[in-house]
mmCIF file of all heavy atoms in Angstrom:
data_model
loop_
_atom_site.group_PDB
_atom_site.id
_atom_site.type_symbol
_atom_site.label_atom_id
_atom_site.label_comp_id
_atom_site.label_asym_id
_atom_site.label_seq_id
_atom_site.Cartn_x
_atom_site.Cartn_y
_atom_site.Cartn_z
ATOM 1 N N SER A 289 7.744 -4.733 19.568
ATOM 2 C CA SER A 289 7.825 -4.497 18.087
ATOM 3 C C SER A 289 6.716 -3.642 17.581
ATOM 4 O O SER A 289 5.526 -3.875 17.980
ATOM 5 C CB SER A 289 7.773 -5.884 17.586
ATOM 6 O OG SER A 289 7.723 -5.915 16.034
ATOM 7 N N GLY A 290 6.948 -2.772 16.679
ATOM 8 C CA GLY A 290 5.916 -2.020 16.131
ATOM 9 C C GLY A 290 5.598 -0.687 16.946
ATOM 10 O O GLY A 290 4.693 0.088 16.565
ATOM 11 N N ARG A 291 6.214 -0.589 18.077
ATOM 12 C CA ARG A 291 5.723 0.528 18.906
ATOM 13 C C ARG A 291 7.063 1.522 19.014
ATOM 14 O O ARG A 291 8.169 1.088 18.857
ATOM 15 C CB ARG A 291 5.552 0.214 20.401
ATOM 16 C CG ARG A 291 4.374 -0.642 20.573
ATOM 17 C CD ARG A 291 4.026 -0.886 22.027
ATOM 18 N NE ARG A 291 2.898 -1.853 22.153
ATOM 19 C CZ ARG A 291 2.422 -2.159 23.358
ATOM 20 N NH1 ARG A 291 3.115 -1.860 24.465
ATOM 21 N NH2 ARG A 291 1.337 -3.039 23.530
ATOM 22 N N PRO A 292 6.762 2.847 19.083
ATOM 23 C CA PRO A 292 7.892 3.786 19.126
ATOM 24 C C PRO A 292 8.768 3.544 20.445
ATOM 25 O O PRO A 292 8.200 2.980 21.386
ATOM 26 C CB PRO A 292 7.170 5.157 19.101
ATOM 27 C CG PRO A 292 5.803 4.878 19.795
ATOM 28 C CD PRO A 292 5.455 3.525 19.248
ATOM 29 N N ALA A 293 9.942 3.951 20.303
ATOM 30 C CA ALA A 293 10.829 3.724 21.474
ATOM 31 C C ALA A 293 10.489 4.751 22.650
ATOM 32 O O ALA A 293 11.081 4.495 23.735
ATOM 33 C CB ALA A 293 12.293 4.042 21.039
ATOM 34 N N TYR A 294 9.733 5.691 22.322
ATOM 35 C CA TYR A 294 9.258 6.531 23.523
ATOM 36 C C TYR A 294 7.756 6.866 23.265
ATOM 37 O O TYR A 294 7.136 6.655 22.215
ATOM 38 C CB TYR A 294 10.143 7.818 23.546
ATOM 39 C CG TYR A 294 9.950 8.673 22.369
ATOM 40 C CD1 TYR A 294 9.147 9.824 22.479
ATOM 41 C CD2 TYR A 294 10.623 8.517 21.152
ATOM 42 C CE1 TYR A 294 8.930 10.695 21.398
ATOM 43 C CE2 TYR A 294 10.501 9.303 20.132
ATOM 44 C CZ TYR A 294 9.693 10.374 20.185
ATOM 45 O OH TYR A 294 9.638 11.234 19.042
ATOM 46 N N THR A 295 7.153 7.420 24.350
ATOM 47 C CA THR A 295 5.696 7.735 24.345
ATOM 48 C C THR A 295 5.535 9.195 24.625
ATOM 49 O O THR A 295 6.360 9.983 25.010
ATOM 50 C CB THR A 295 4.976 6.943 25.352
ATOM 51 O OG1 THR A 295 5.460 7.267 26.699
ATOM 52 C CG2 THR A 295 5.211 5.382 25.180
ATOM 53 N N ALA A 296 4.134 9.604 24.431
ATOM 54 C CA ALA A 296 3.851 11.035 24.742
ATOM 55 C C ALA A 296 4.119 11.305 26.235
ATOM 56 O O ALA A 296 4.547 12.377 26.574
ATOM 57 C CB ALA A 296 2.364 11.254 24.412
ATOM 58 N N PRO A 297 3.781 10.301 27.269
ATOM 59 C CA PRO A 297 4.165 10.636 28.581
ATOM 60 C C PRO A 297 5.679 10.797 28.831
ATOM 61 O O PRO A 297 5.996 11.565 29.696
ATOM 62 C CB PRO A 297 3.566 9.317 29.347
ATOM 63 C CG PRO A 297 2.480 8.897 28.509
ATOM 64 C CD PRO A 297 2.808 9.174 27.111
ATOM 65 N N ASP A 298 6.403 10.173 28.057
ATOM 66 C CA ASP A 298 7.800 10.342 28.222
ATOM 67 C C ASP A 298 8.242 11.772 27.842
ATOM 68 O O ASP A 298 9.048 12.495 28.481
ATOM 69 C CB ASP A 298 8.624 9.428 27.243
ATOM 70 C CG ASP A 298 8.542 7.955 27.796
ATOM 71 O OD1 ASP A 298 8.256 7.614 28.768
ATOM 72 O OD2 ASP A 298 8.629 7.019 26.760
ATOM 73 N N VAL A 299 7.510 12.346 26.675
ATOM 74 C CA VAL A 299 7.866 13.601 26.364
ATOM 75 C C VAL A 299 7.339 14.701 27.296
ATOM 76 O O VAL A 299 8.092 15.633 27.634
ATOM 77 C CB VAL A 299 7.225 13.942 24.875
ATOM 78 C CG1 VAL A 299 7.310 15.272 24.521
ATOM 79 C CG2 VAL A 299 7.839 12.962 23.852
ATOM 80 N N HIS A 300 6.238 14.394 27.805
ATOM 81 C CA HIS A 300 5.767 15.259 28.841
ATOM 82 C C HIS A 300 6.634 15.308 30.145
ATOM 83 O O HIS A 300 6.919 16.350 30.646
ATOM 84 C CB HIS A 300 4.341 14.722 29.257
ATOM 85 C CG HIS A 300 3.679 15.823 30.351
ATOM 86 N ND1 HIS A 300 3.025 16.949 29.981
ATOM 87 C CD2 HIS A 300 3.535 15.524 31.702
ATOM 88 C CE1 HIS A 300 2.553 17.359 31.101
ATOM 89 N NE2 HIS A 300 2.804 16.609 32.062
ATOM 90 N N PHE A 301 7.238 14.174 30.393
ATOM 91 C CA PHE A 301 7.988 14.070 31.687
ATOM 92 C C PHE A 301 9.345 14.905 31.350
ATOM 93 O O PHE A 301 9.686 15.672 32.301
ATOM 94 C CB PHE A 301 8.413 12.713 31.915
ATOM 95 C CG PHE A 301 9.565 12.528 32.920
ATOM 96 C CD1 PHE A 301 9.239 12.520 34.268
ATOM 97 C CD2 PHE A 301 10.792 12.344 32.601
ATOM 98 C CE1 PHE A 301 10.299 12.413 35.171
ATOM 99 C CE2 PHE A 301 11.893 12.057 33.428
ATOM 100 C CZ PHE A 301 11.555 12.223 34.912
ATOM 101 N N MET A 302 9.916 14.728 30.309
ATOM 102 C CA MET A 302 11.120 15.441 29.952
ATOM 103 C C MET A 302 10.963 16.933 29.901
ATOM 104 O O MET A 302 11.667 17.793 30.466
ATOM 105 C CB MET A 302 11.650 14.994 28.569
ATOM 106 C CG MET A 302 12.354 13.499 28.600
ATOM 107 S SD MET A 302 13.608 13.487 29.724
ATOM 108 C CE MET A 302 14.842 12.588 28.840
ATOM 109 N N ALA A 303 9.782 17.387 29.199
ATOM 110 C CA ALA A 303 9.588 18.833 29.102
ATOM 111 C C ALA A 303 9.142 19.352 30.512
ATOM 112 O O ALA A 303 9.628 20.443 30.847
ATOM 113 C CB ALA A 303 8.501 19.015 28.253
ATOM 114 N N GLY A 304 8.375 18.576 31.288
ATOM 115 C CA GLY A 304 8.074 19.059 32.702
ATOM 116 C C GLY A 304 9.179 19.176 33.571
ATOM 117 O O GLY A 304 9.331 20.093 34.350
ATOM 118 N N MET A 305 10.132 18.188 33.392
ATOM 119 C CA MET A 305 11.279 18.257 34.289
ATOM 120 C C MET A 305 12.300 19.327 34.092
ATOM 121 O O MET A 305 12.845 19.855 34.833
ATOM 122 C CB MET A 305 12.053 16.887 34.301
ATOM 123 C CG MET A 305 13.010 16.688 35.443
ATOM 124 S SD MET A 305 12.298 16.705 37.009
ATOM 125 C CE MET A 305 11.502 15.084 37.145
ATOM 126 N N ILE A 306 12.330 19.641 32.768
ATOM 127 C CA ILE A 306 13.139 20.997 32.396
ATOM 128 C C ILE A 306 12.592 22.102 33.054
ATOM 129 O O ILE A 306 13.261 22.962 33.629
ATOM 130 C CB ILE A 306 13.147 21.134 30.789
ATOM 131 C CG1 ILE A 306 13.940 19.991 30.161
ATOM 132 C CG2 ILE A 306 13.695 22.519 30.423
ATOM 133 C CD1 ILE A 306 13.859 19.988 28.625
ATOM 134 N N VAL A 307 11.209 22.302 32.992
ATOM 135 C CA VAL A 307 10.545 23.471 33.749
ATOM 136 C C VAL A 307 10.864 23.412 35.203
ATOM 137 O O VAL A 307 11.151 24.357 35.866
ATOM 138 C CB VAL A 307 9.151 23.523 33.401
ATOM 139 C CG1 VAL A 307 8.398 24.442 34.210
ATOM 140 C CG2 VAL A 307 8.858 23.763 31.849
ATOM 141 N N HIS A 308 10.712 22.140 35.788
ATOM 142 C CA HIS A 308 10.926 21.909 37.198
ATOM 143 C C HIS A 308 12.385 22.379 37.572
ATOM 144 O O HIS A 308 12.519 23.093 38.563
ATOM 145 C CB HIS A 308 10.655 20.475 37.390
ATOM 146 C CG HIS A 308 10.265 20.145 38.839
ATOM 147 N ND1 HIS A 308 11.240 19.875 39.909
ATOM 148 C CD2 HIS A 308 9.058 20.096 39.502
ATOM 149 C CE1 HIS A 308 10.635 19.659 40.928
ATOM 150 N NE2 HIS A 308 9.278 19.750 40.775
ATOM 151 N N HIS A 309 13.297 21.709 36.951
ATOM 152 C CA HIS A 309 14.739 22.161 37.114
ATOM 153 C C HIS A 309 15.040 23.576 37.009
ATOM 154 O O HIS A 309 15.819 24.119 37.818
ATOM 155 C CB HIS A 309 15.653 21.258 36.198
ATOM 156 C CG HIS A 309 15.899 19.870 36.552
ATOM 157 N ND1 HIS A 309 15.145 19.165 37.520
ATOM 158 C CD2 HIS A 309 16.967 19.067 36.299
ATOM 159 C CE1 HIS A 309 15.756 17.965 37.651
ATOM 160 N NE2 HIS A 309 16.829 17.863 36.931
ATOM 161 N N ALA A 310 14.464 24.180 36.048
ATOM 162 C CA ALA A 310 14.776 25.595 35.840
ATOM 163 C C ALA A 310 14.374 26.543 37.017
ATOM 164 O O ALA A 310 15.078 27.417 37.378
ATOM 165 C CB ALA A 310 13.917 26.182 34.530
ATOM 166 N N GLN A 311 13.312 26.010 37.745
ATOM 167 C CA GLN A 311 12.911 26.859 39.001
ATOM 168 C C GLN A 311 13.903 26.552 39.994
ATOM 169 O O GLN A 311 14.278 27.508 40.780
ATOM 170 C CB GLN A 311 11.510 26.566 39.330
ATOM 171 C CG GLN A 311 10.982 27.431 40.571
ATOM 172 C CD GLN A 311 9.599 26.975 41.103
ATOM 173 O OE1 GLN A 311 9.538 26.035 41.880
ATOM 174 N NE2 GLN A 311 8.674 27.889 40.812
ATOM 175 N N ALA A 312 14.340 25.392 40.117
ATOM 176 C CA ALA A 312 15.352 25.057 41.166
ATOM 177 C C ALA A 312 16.640 25.838 40.885
ATOM 178 O O ALA A 312 17.278 26.442 41.857
ATOM 179 C CB ALA A 312 15.641 23.468 41.200
ATOM 180 N N VAL A 313 17.015 25.862 39.682
ATOM 181 C CA VAL A 313 18.349 26.629 39.366
ATOM 182 C C VAL A 313 18.167 28.194 39.677
ATOM 183 O O VAL A 313 19.000 28.775 40.180
ATOM 184 C CB VAL A 313 18.618 26.464 37.858
ATOM 185 C CG1 VAL A 313 19.739 27.471 37.468
ATOM 186 C CG2 VAL A 313 18.949 25.017 37.561
ATOM 187 N N LEU A 314 16.835 28.718 39.312
ATOM 188 C CA LEU A 314 16.626 30.199 39.620
ATOM 189 C C LEU A 314 16.864 30.352 41.196
ATOM 190 O O LEU A 314 17.578 31.212 41.564
ATOM 191 C CB LEU A 314 15.158 30.436 39.252
ATOM 192 C CG LEU A 314 14.674 31.743 39.681
ATOM 193 C CD1 LEU A 314 15.385 32.853 39.035
ATOM 194 C CD2 LEU A 314 13.164 31.895 39.533
ATOM 195 N N ILE A 315 16.081 29.623 41.945
ATOM 196 C CA ILE A 315 16.167 29.996 43.480
ATOM 197 C C ILE A 315 17.446 29.622 44.133
ATOM 198 O O ILE A 315 17.816 30.292 45.036
ATOM 199 C CB ILE A 315 14.913 29.433 44.156
ATOM 200 C CG1 ILE A 315 14.931 27.905 44.138
ATOM 201 C CG2 ILE A 315 13.564 29.918 43.584
ATOM 202 C CD1 ILE A 315 13.807 27.305 45.022
ATOM 203 N N ALA A 316 18.089 28.603 43.646
ATOM 204 C CA ALA A 316 19.454 28.330 44.120
ATOM 205 C C ALA A 316 20.360 29.369 43.873
ATOM 206 O O ALA A 316 21.362 29.712 44.590
ATOM 207 C CB ALA A 316 19.849 26.981 43.596
ATOM 208 N N GLY A 317 20.271 30.050 42.793
ATOM 209 C CA GLY A 317 21.103 31.113 42.348
ATOM 210 C C GLY A 317 20.868 32.352 43.282
ATOM 211 O O GLY A 317 21.697 33.305 43.069
ATOM 212 N N TRP A 318 19.911 32.539 43.945
ATOM 213 C CA TRP A 318 19.707 33.548 44.855
ATOM 214 C C TRP A 318 20.596 33.524 46.202
ATOM 215 O O TRP A 318 20.700 34.562 46.820
ATOM 216 C CB TRP A 318 18.115 33.664 45.377
ATOM 217 C CG TRP A 318 17.274 34.017 44.323
ATOM 218 C CD1 TRP A 318 17.406 34.474 43.094
ATOM 219 C CD2 TRP A 318 15.816 33.841 44.362
ATOM 220 N NE1 TRP A 318 16.243 34.720 42.437
ATOM 221 C CE2 TRP A 318 15.157 34.317 43.111
ATOM 222 C CE3 TRP A 318 14.906 33.515 45.423
ATOM 223 C CZ2 TRP A 318 13.890 34.326 42.963
ATOM 224 C CZ3 TRP A 318 13.489 33.493 45.168
ATOM 225 C CH2 TRP A 318 13.034 33.969 43.921
ATOM 226 N N ALA A 319 21.111 32.369 46.403
ATOM 227 C CA ALA A 319 21.829 32.175 47.707
ATOM 228 C C ALA A 319 22.848 33.326 48.015
ATOM 229 O O ALA A 319 22.763 33.818 49.217
ATOM 230 C CB ALA A 319 22.436 30.848 47.743
ATOM 231 N N PRO A 320 23.810 33.707 47.122
ATOM 232 C CA PRO A 320 24.813 34.613 47.507
ATOM 233 C C PRO A 320 24.193 36.037 47.834
ATOM 234 O O PRO A 320 24.609 36.637 48.769
ATOM 235 C CB PRO A 320 25.694 34.709 46.262
ATOM 236 C CG PRO A 320 25.491 33.356 45.708
ATOM 237 C CD PRO A 320 24.079 33.108 45.891
ATOM 238 N N ALA A 321 23.204 36.434 47.030
ATOM 239 C CA ALA A 321 22.609 37.779 47.188
ATOM 240 C C ALA A 321 21.623 37.832 48.449
ATOM 241 O O ALA A 321 21.227 38.945 48.816
ATOM 242 C CB ALA A 321 21.887 38.255 45.976
ATOM 243 N N HIS A 322 21.238 36.703 48.903
ATOM 244 C CA HIS A 322 20.336 36.652 49.990
ATOM 245 C C HIS A 322 20.920 36.275 51.318
ATOM 246 O O HIS A 322 20.139 35.897 52.315
ATOM 247 C CB HIS A 322 19.172 35.670 49.651
ATOM 248 C CG HIS A 322 18.107 36.274 48.597
ATOM 249 N ND1 HIS A 322 18.595 36.476 47.281
ATOM 250 C CD2 HIS A 322 16.887 36.670 48.620
ATOM 251 C CE1 HIS A 322 17.584 36.927 46.606
ATOM 252 N NE2 HIS A 322 16.608 37.115 47.494
ATOM 253 N N GLY A 323 22.249 36.359 51.432
ATOM 254 C CA GLY A 323 22.836 36.119 52.663
ATOM 255 C C GLY A 323 22.956 34.703 53.242
ATOM 256 O O GLY A 323 22.931 34.489 54.461
ATOM 257 N N ALA A 324 22.795 33.680 52.336
ATOM 258 C CA ALA A 324 22.852 32.323 52.827
ATOM 259 C C ALA A 324 24.076 31.945 53.400
ATOM 260 O O ALA A 324 25.206 32.480 53.106
ATOM 261 C CB ALA A 324 22.638 31.438 51.520
ATOM 262 N N GLY A 325 24.002 30.954 54.352
ATOM 263 C CA GLY A 325 25.263 30.467 55.114
ATOM 264 C C GLY A 325 26.184 29.720 54.213
ATOM 265 O O GLY A 325 25.779 29.331 53.005
ATOM 266 N N PRO A 326 27.373 29.454 54.617
ATOM 267 C CA PRO A 326 28.346 28.759 53.738
ATOM 268 C C PRO A 326 27.829 27.392 53.399
ATOM 269 O O PRO A 326 28.060 26.935 52.192
ATOM 270 C CB PRO A 326 29.646 28.624 54.570
ATOM 271 C CG PRO A 326 29.369 29.831 55.548
ATOM 272 C CD PRO A 326 27.955 29.984 55.760
#
């Protein structure tokens, strides 16, 4: 009671994980052009 439903560390986690995921999407997208196996 009296506290927000989320905190600054929660916001930092969400923002950081977006950045983290974006890099994974980037390099995973390289697979076809880099001759990755099936």
